[in-house]
């Protein structure tokens, strides 16, 4: 009862908000890595500058599934996707080698099946590629992957685990080129580039537009046998929106063919390496392209990069907003979980037959990976944002509350319960006057555990566009920027500790009274 | 005033019986002691009177009404119930514990207050000193006194006591037994008292019911049981006690 009412209220709020913003707002989404933030920001600014439409930014969503579902459900209007990704993850087909054919395939299928338009490709192809150190390439005369297959000497490879396993990753590559690396080590995508530059490995599977390729003096080898499928980036727009606002097509088509691989690496580098703000980079690119890159960008060092504390002070207003949102998500999750979990705990205590199934269900929910849960809830609600995010939090917080309620009730000695019944208490009086007060410390401990857990999980709400401190963490992780990650993680940790202390304080006050 | 007729009870669907065709009767105002070793069914029998357990067959009547036809909550509120260690609610003060049943019965505040003071004095505890305390701040004997006060608070006609003094040292137990006898002299009630201790039974009982393996061995005054044991079990009970007592005397310095 409580859930559905809560859901209804949130839902109603969402309706009012979306109604209020009406037809004149365009919702632009992005996935959670630098390139996506930059392109989404460029698209947003172009729309704001050249049309009467307002833009709502829903950046940093957790994956292709969410973005695609957002577009098909109308929760998003625009985001940037890659041909190879769309073929593999949405159409579930084997990607072809031809760039043009791939684009025609996805454009046709998306228009027909989803009512989504693919605008002409932006220009760059963010595919997997094979990279080596620049000095190695020069010394051995390596410019293609075939050169690498013919080159002298044994090379050690560092690949992402995904690349090692995917049939269209290393296994196929090895067969196509006759490559042989000994050994091959699993590396985190964020660590590969530094590992190669630091001589820890000799070959990596780089993403073609990663800024670190240039910054660390690495060399991408040409895929001369055309093994890697194309990942051409293009803007996806809901066909309805284009019909209602045909002016959008011209504004966005201006981006077609304007950013090649090297340009994208530079733009990424401005954010990832030179620590420029995404919005700043987007404005600069729109106003002067990359002509000014050398003068305003990397070559001219600005003042020393901000320290964490300077960053925190400068972005304090944003930090406060996100912290409040984070607190709200946590509170909603814990309160609703308590409102459900406490009666559920009483139920499984009183009706033994319900115990095994209910607890098993809570435990299963607990094991669902967070991103899968978010995607699943999005599929159910058809909404991004606070509602699916807080529902996920409720589901995760349910187990500790329910389990501790049960444990708290079970640890009450039998003779105390007998005494209550024997005095002539009704089951309800026994529950409220004796059992719940005696179980209270254990129940409150469960709520406390749930709260700490929820503060942590709420950082993932960013991936479904619900905001909170996770925004900073996701951006920091995607840009390899420790300060930004800390800007989210540190307040989250403090919030967990503070809430835990607060609950402990409330608990003591309760016991005393 | 309590009549139990032909009651049987099994906790494992008839494989073994906790009680087998038990019939007993407690007169108004008498102390009836159910005596037996652990597992003999005496506690189960007691719990049937206030319906914490129910018989598979047979009938339990209180003041000539079948308890199974009564509202269990109202029934229990009309019966005082004392268990080992008092069964006090640890999160409530002595005052709150004692006034529980009057509160459930909806007595007003002043009446409850007067009664808690009165009843605590009756069990030998100073109200001003003990009412604000919590059970954890009491000795075992004090807890048991509070347990008795709580059971008597609403002035029930019937009192059920389930090994109330089992966990107390001999001296405290002695004193509390005296207390029960003196309360019983001033305000007689029907008391059903469960114990495994023969001396306690002899001391308190108007009549004793000897239970063994779910059946009644004999009912009678202590004297009758001692002089005319009906079964070998009853005579062995007294013989063992006599042997223990003489054994103790022989080993005494």
């Amino acid at each position: 009862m409580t859930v559905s009412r809560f859901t209804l209220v949130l839902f109603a709020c969402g309706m009012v908000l979306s109604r209020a913003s009406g037809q004149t707002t365009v919702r632009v989404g992005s996935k959670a890595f630098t390139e996506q933030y930059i392109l989404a920001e460029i698209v947003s600014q172009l729309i704001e500058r050249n049309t009467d439409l307002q833009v709502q930014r829903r950046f940093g969503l957790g994956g292709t599934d969410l973005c695609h579902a957002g577009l098909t459900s109308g929760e998003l209007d625009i985001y940037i996707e890659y041909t190879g990704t769309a073929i593999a993850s949405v159409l579930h087909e084997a990607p072809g080698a031809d760039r043009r054919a791939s684009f025609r395939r996805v454009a046709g299928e998306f228009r027909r099946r989803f009512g989504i338009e693919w605008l002409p490709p932006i220009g760059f192809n963010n595919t997997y590629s094979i990279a080596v150190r620049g000095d190695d390439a020069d010394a051995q005369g390596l410019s293609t992957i075939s050169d690498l297959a013919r080159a002298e000497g044994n090379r050690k490879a560092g690949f992402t685990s995904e690349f090692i396993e995917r049939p269209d990753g290393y296994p196929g590559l090895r067969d196509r080129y006759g490559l042989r690396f000994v050994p091959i080590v699993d590396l985190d995508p964020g660590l590969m580039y530094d590992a190669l530059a630091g001589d820890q490995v000799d070959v990596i599977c780089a993403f073609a537009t990663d800024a670190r390729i240039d910054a660390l003096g690495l060399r991408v080898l040409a895929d001369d046998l055309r093994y890697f499928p194309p990942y051409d980036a293009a803007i996806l727009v809901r066909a309805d929106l284009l019909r209602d606002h045909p002016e959008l097509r011209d504004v966005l088509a201006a981006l077609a063919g304007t950013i090649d691989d090297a340009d994208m690496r530079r733009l990424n580098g401005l954010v990832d390496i030179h620590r420029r703000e995404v919005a700043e980079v987007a404005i600069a690119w729109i106003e002067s392209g990359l002509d000014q890159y050398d003068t305003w960008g990397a070559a001219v060092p600005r003042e020393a990069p901000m320290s964490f504390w300077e960053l925190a002070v400068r972005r304090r207003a944003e930090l406060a907003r996100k912290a409040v949102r984070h607190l709200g998500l946590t509170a909603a999750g814990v309160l609703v979980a308590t409102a459900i979990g406490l009666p559920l705990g009483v139920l499984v205590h009183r009706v033994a037959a319900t115990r095994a199934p209910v607890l098993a269900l809570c435990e299963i929910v607990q094991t669902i990976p967070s991103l899968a849960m978010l995607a699943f809830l999005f599929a159910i609600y058809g909404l991004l944002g606070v509602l699916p995010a807080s529902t996920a939090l409720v589901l995760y917080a349910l187990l500790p509350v329910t389990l501790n309620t049960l444990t708290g009730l079970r640890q009450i000695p039998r003779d105390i319960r007998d005494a209550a019944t024997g005095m002539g208490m009704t089951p309800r009086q026994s529950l409220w006057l004796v059992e719940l007060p005696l179980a209270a410390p254990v129940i409150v401990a469960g709520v406390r555990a749930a709260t700490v857990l929820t503060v942590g999980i709420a950082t993932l709400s960013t991936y479904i566009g619900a905001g909170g401190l996770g925004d900073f963490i996701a951006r920091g992780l995607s840009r390899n920027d420790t300060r930004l990650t800390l800007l989210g993680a540190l307040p989250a940790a403090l919030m967990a500790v503070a809430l835990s202390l607060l609950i402990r304080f409330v608990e003591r006050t309760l016991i005393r009274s | 005033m309590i009549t139990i007729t032909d009651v049987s009870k099994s906790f494992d669907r008839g494989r073994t019986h906790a009680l087998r065709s038990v019939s007993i009767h407690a007169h108004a105002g008498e102390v009836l002691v159910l005596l037996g070793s652990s597992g003999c069914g005496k506690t189960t029998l007691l719990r049937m009177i206030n319906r914490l357990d129910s018989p598979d067959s047979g009938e339990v009547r209180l003041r000539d009404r079948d308890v199974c036809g009564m509202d269990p909550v109202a029934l229990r509120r009309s019966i005082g119930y004392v268990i080992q260690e008092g069964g006090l609610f640890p999160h409530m003060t002595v005052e709150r514990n004692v006034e529980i049943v009057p509160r459930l019965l909806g007595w007003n505040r002043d009446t409850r207050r007067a009664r808690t003071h009165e009843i605590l004095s009756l069990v030998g505890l100073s109200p001003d000193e003990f009412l604000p305390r919590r059970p954890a701040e009491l000795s075992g004997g004090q807890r048991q006194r509070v347990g008795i006060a709580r059971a008597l608070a609403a002035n029930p006609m019937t009192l059920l006591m389930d090994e109330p003094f089992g966990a107390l040292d001999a001296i405290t137990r002695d004193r509390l037994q005296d207390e029960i006898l003196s309360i019983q002299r001033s305000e007689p009630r029907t008391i059903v008292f469960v114990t495994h201790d023969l001396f306690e039974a002899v001391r308190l009982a108007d009549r004793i019911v000897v239970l063994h393996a779910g059946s009644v061995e004999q009912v009678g005054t202590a004297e009758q049981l001692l002089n005319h044991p009906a079964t070998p079990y009853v005579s062995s009970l007294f013989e063992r006690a006599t042997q223990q007592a003489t054994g103790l005397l022989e080993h005494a310095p």
Side-chain angles (χ1 to χ4, degrees), chain B residues 203-219:
Chain B
R203 182 123 195 262
L204 292 176
D206 291 318
R207 289 187 307 141
I208 298 173
V209 178
V210 180
L211 281 163
H212 178 57
S215 299
V216 175
E217 294 279 328
Q218 189 173 3
V219 183

PDB file of all heavy atoms in Angstrom, chain B residues 203-219:
ATOM      1  N   ARG B 203       5.098 -28.033  51.647  1.00  0.00           N
ATOM      2  CA  ARG B 203       5.023 -26.789  52.396  1.00  0.00           C
ATOM      3  C   ARG B 203       3.799 -25.959  52.005  1.00  0.00           C
ATOM      4  O   ARG B 203       3.111 -25.396  52.838  1.00  0.00           O
ATOM      5  CB  ARG B 203       6.307 -26.010  52.104  1.00  0.00           C
ATOM      6  CG  ARG B 203       6.451 -24.718  52.821  1.00  0.00           C
ATOM      7  CD  ARG B 203       7.749 -24.707  53.640  1.00  0.00           C
ATOM      8  NE  ARG B 203       7.681 -23.621  54.588  1.00  0.00           N
ATOM      9  CZ  ARG B 203       8.258 -22.452  54.361  1.00  0.00           C
ATOM     10  NH1 ARG B 203       8.967 -22.256  53.270  1.00  0.00           N
ATOM     11  NH2 ARG B 203       8.141 -21.490  55.247  1.00  0.00           N
ATOM     12  N   LEU B 204       3.535 -25.872  50.683  1.00  0.00           N
ATOM     13  CA  LEU B 204       2.523 -24.938  50.213  1.00  0.00           C
ATOM     14  C   LEU B 204       1.138 -25.557  50.025  1.00  0.00           C
ATOM     15  O   LEU B 204       0.127 -24.887  50.155  1.00  0.00           O
ATOM     16  CB  LEU B 204       2.959 -24.351  48.854  1.00  0.00           C
ATOM     17  CG  LEU B 204       4.165 -23.416  48.855  1.00  0.00           C
ATOM     18  CD1 LEU B 204       4.495 -23.013  47.422  1.00  0.00           C
ATOM     19  CD2 LEU B 204       3.897 -22.180  49.707  1.00  0.00           C
ATOM     20  N   ALA B 205       1.107 -26.853  49.721  1.00  0.00           N
ATOM     21  CA  ALA B 205      -0.112 -27.420  49.160  1.00  0.00           C
ATOM     22  C   ALA B 205      -1.191 -27.670  50.198  1.00  0.00           C
ATOM     23  O   ALA B 205      -0.912 -28.099  51.314  1.00  0.00           O
ATOM     24  CB  ALA B 205       0.204 -28.719  48.443  1.00  0.00           C
ATOM     25  N   ASP B 206      -2.457 -27.385  49.801  1.00  0.00           N
ATOM     26  CA  ASP B 206      -3.577 -28.002  50.500  1.00  0.00           C
ATOM     27  C   ASP B 206      -3.680 -29.442  50.012  1.00  0.00           C
ATOM     28  O   ASP B 206      -3.836 -30.372  50.787  1.00  0.00           O
ATOM     29  CB  ASP B 206      -4.868 -27.242  50.217  1.00  0.00           C
ATOM     30  CG  ASP B 206      -4.846 -25.857  50.861  1.00  0.00           C
ATOM     31  OD1 ASP B 206      -4.381 -25.764  52.016  1.00  0.00           O
ATOM     32  OD2 ASP B 206      -5.219 -24.874  50.200  1.00  0.00           O
ATOM     33  N   ARG B 207      -3.585 -29.597  48.673  1.00  0.00           N
ATOM     34  CA  ARG B 207      -3.538 -30.953  48.116  1.00  0.00           C
ATOM     35  C   ARG B 207      -2.479 -30.993  47.030  1.00  0.00           C
ATOM     36  O   ARG B 207      -2.157 -29.975  46.403  1.00  0.00           O
ATOM     37  CB  ARG B 207      -4.908 -31.313  47.523  1.00  0.00           C
ATOM     38  CG  ARG B 207      -5.980 -31.540  48.612  1.00  0.00           C
ATOM     39  CD  ARG B 207      -7.264 -32.066  47.996  1.00  0.00           C
ATOM     40  NE  ARG B 207      -7.719 -31.214  46.910  1.00  0.00           N
ATOM     41  CZ  ARG B 207      -8.251 -31.682  45.775  1.00  0.00           C
ATOM     42  NH1 ARG B 207      -8.379 -32.978  45.568  1.00  0.00           N
ATOM     43  NH2 ARG B 207      -8.669 -30.846  44.843  1.00  0.00           N
ATOM     44  N   ILE B 208      -1.945 -32.199  46.806  1.00  0.00           N
ATOM     45  CA  ILE B 208      -0.893 -32.381  45.807  1.00  0.00           C
ATOM     46  C   ILE B 208      -1.387 -33.340  44.729  1.00  0.00           C
ATOM     47  O   ILE B 208      -2.023 -34.359  45.036  1.00  0.00           O
ATOM     48  CB  ILE B 208       0.395 -32.968  46.451  1.00  0.00           C
ATOM     49  CG1 ILE B 208       0.957 -32.002  47.506  1.00  0.00           C
ATOM     50  CG2 ILE B 208       1.448 -33.285  45.385  1.00  0.00           C
ATOM     51  CD1 ILE B 208       2.114 -32.567  48.300  1.00  0.00           C
ATOM     52  N   VAL B 209      -1.111 -32.985  43.447  1.00  0.00           N
ATOM     53  CA  VAL B 209      -1.364 -33.908  42.335  1.00  0.00           C
ATOM     54  C   VAL B 209      -0.011 -34.419  41.870  1.00  0.00           C
ATOM     55  O   VAL B 209       0.833 -33.627  41.433  1.00  0.00           O
ATOM     56  CB  VAL B 209      -2.068 -33.192  41.166  1.00  0.00           C
ATOM     57  CG1 VAL B 209      -2.281 -34.155  40.004  1.00  0.00           C
ATOM     58  CG2 VAL B 209      -3.386 -32.595  41.633  1.00  0.00           C
ATOM     59  N   VAL B 210       0.233 -35.719  42.003  1.00  0.00           N
ATOM     60  CA  VAL B 210       1.505 -36.268  41.525  1.00  0.00           C
ATOM     61  C   VAL B 210       1.320 -36.717  40.079  1.00  0.00           C
ATOM     62  O   VAL B 210       0.458 -37.544  39.773  1.00  0.00           O
ATOM     63  CB  VAL B 210       1.969 -37.453  42.389  1.00  0.00           C
ATOM     64  CG1 VAL B 210       3.293 -38.000  41.846  1.00  0.00           C
ATOM     65  CG2 VAL B 210       2.138 -37.032  43.843  1.00  0.00           C
ATOM     66  N   LEU B 211       2.117 -36.109  39.189  1.00  0.00           N
ATOM     67  CA  LEU B 211       2.041 -36.449  37.766  1.00  0.00           C
ATOM     68  C   LEU B 211       3.289 -37.201  37.369  1.00  0.00           C
ATOM     69  O   LEU B 211       4.405 -36.884  37.802  1.00  0.00           O
ATOM     70  CB  LEU B 211       1.946 -35.173  36.926  1.00  0.00           C
ATOM     71  CG  LEU B 211       0.572 -34.510  36.853  1.00  0.00           C
ATOM     72  CD1 LEU B 211       0.727 -33.082  36.362  1.00  0.00           C
ATOM     73  CD2 LEU B 211      -0.346 -35.298  35.931  1.00  0.00           C
ATOM     74  N   HIS B 212       3.107 -38.225  36.518  1.00  0.00           N
ATOM     75  CA  HIS B 212       4.257 -38.969  36.036  1.00  0.00           C
ATOM     76  C   HIS B 212       3.960 -39.432  34.619  1.00  0.00           C
ATOM     77  O   HIS B 212       2.926 -40.054  34.372  1.00  0.00           O
ATOM     78  CB  HIS B 212       4.519 -40.166  36.955  1.00  0.00           C
ATOM     79  CG  HIS B 212       5.671 -41.025  36.487  1.00  0.00           C
ATOM     80  ND1 HIS B 212       6.936 -40.507  36.286  1.00  0.00           N
ATOM     81  CD2 HIS B 212       5.736 -42.335  36.178  1.00  0.00           C
ATOM     82  CE1 HIS B 212       7.734 -41.479  35.866  1.00  0.00           C
ATOM     83  NE2 HIS B 212       7.030 -42.594  35.792  1.00  0.00           N
ATOM     84  N   ALA B 213       4.833 -39.063  33.684  1.00  0.00           N
ATOM     85  CA  ALA B 213       4.698 -39.470  32.282  1.00  0.00           C
ATOM     86  C   ALA B 213       3.302 -39.170  31.721  1.00  0.00           C
ATOM     87  O   ALA B 213       2.702 -39.987  31.028  1.00  0.00           O
ATOM     88  CB  ALA B 213       5.017 -40.955  32.117  1.00  0.00           C
ATOM     89  N   GLY B 214       2.780 -38.009  32.061  1.00  0.00           N
ATOM     90  CA  GLY B 214       1.524 -37.570  31.461  1.00  0.00           C
ATOM     91  C   GLY B 214       0.272 -38.099  32.119  1.00  0.00           C
ATOM     92  O   GLY B 214      -0.834 -37.832  31.663  1.00  0.00           O
ATOM     93  N   SER B 215       0.429 -38.841  33.209  1.00  0.00           N
ATOM     94  CA  SER B 215      -0.756 -39.368  33.892  1.00  0.00           C
ATOM     95  C   SER B 215      -0.730 -38.998  35.375  1.00  0.00           C
ATOM     96  O   SER B 215       0.348 -38.765  35.943  1.00  0.00           O
ATOM     97  CB  SER B 215      -0.798 -40.900  33.794  1.00  0.00           C
ATOM     98  OG  SER B 215      -0.868 -41.279  32.439  1.00  0.00           O
ATOM     99  N   VAL B 216      -1.918 -38.928  35.964  1.00  0.00           N
ATOM    100  CA  VAL B 216      -2.007 -38.646  37.394  1.00  0.00           C
ATOM    101  C   VAL B 216      -1.720 -39.933  38.160  1.00  0.00           C
ATOM    102  O   VAL B 216      -2.349 -40.968  37.934  1.00  0.00           O
ATOM    103  CB  VAL B 216      -3.409 -38.128  37.753  1.00  0.00           C
ATOM    104  CG1 VAL B 216      -3.534 -37.942  39.267  1.00  0.00           C
ATOM    105  CG2 VAL B 216      -3.680 -36.828  37.030  1.00  0.00           C
ATOM    106  N   GLU B 217      -0.727 -39.897  39.080  1.00  0.00           N
ATOM    107  CA  GLU B 217      -0.422 -41.066  39.913  1.00  0.00           C
ATOM    108  C   GLU B 217      -1.336 -41.085  41.134  1.00  0.00           C
ATOM    109  O   GLU B 217      -1.884 -42.108  41.512  1.00  0.00           O
ATOM    110  CB  GLU B 217       1.032 -41.024  40.368  1.00  0.00           C
ATOM    111  CG  GLU B 217       2.043 -41.165  39.234  1.00  0.00           C
ATOM    112  CD  GLU B 217       2.252 -42.605  38.805  1.00  0.00           C
ATOM    113  OE1 GLU B 217       2.152 -43.515  39.663  1.00  0.00           O
ATOM    114  OE2 GLU B 217       2.504 -42.831  37.594  1.00  0.00           O
ATOM    115  N   GLN B 218      -1.464 -39.898  41.767  1.00  0.00           N
ATOM    116  CA  GLN B 218      -2.286 -39.827  42.979  1.00  0.00           C
ATOM    117  C   GLN B 218      -2.617 -38.376  43.282  1.00  0.00           C
ATOM    118  O   GLN B 218      -1.840 -37.470  42.973  1.00  0.00           O
ATOM    119  CB  GLN B 218      -1.520 -40.431  44.176  1.00  0.00           C
ATOM    120  CG  GLN B 218      -2.380 -40.598  45.414  1.00  0.00           C
ATOM    121  CD  GLN B 218      -1.635 -41.357  46.514  1.00  0.00           C
ATOM    122  OE1 GLN B 218      -0.472 -41.702  46.372  1.00  0.00           O
ATOM    123  NE2 GLN B 218      -2.326 -41.621  47.615  1.00  0.00           N
ATOM    124  N   VAL B 219      -3.772 -38.145  43.882  1.00  0.00           N
ATOM    125  CA  VAL B 219      -4.151 -36.810  44.356  1.00  0.00           C
ATOM    126  C   VAL B 219      -4.467 -36.916  45.839  1.00  0.00           C
ATOM    127  O   VAL B 219      -5.178 -37.822  46.253  1.00  0.00           O
ATOM    128  CB  VAL B 219      -5.400 -36.287  43.614  1.00  0.00           C
ATOM    129  CG1 VAL B 219      -5.730 -34.866  44.082  1.00  0.00           C
ATOM    130  CG2 VAL B 219      -5.183 -36.317  42.115  1.00  0.00           C
TER     131      VAL B 219
END
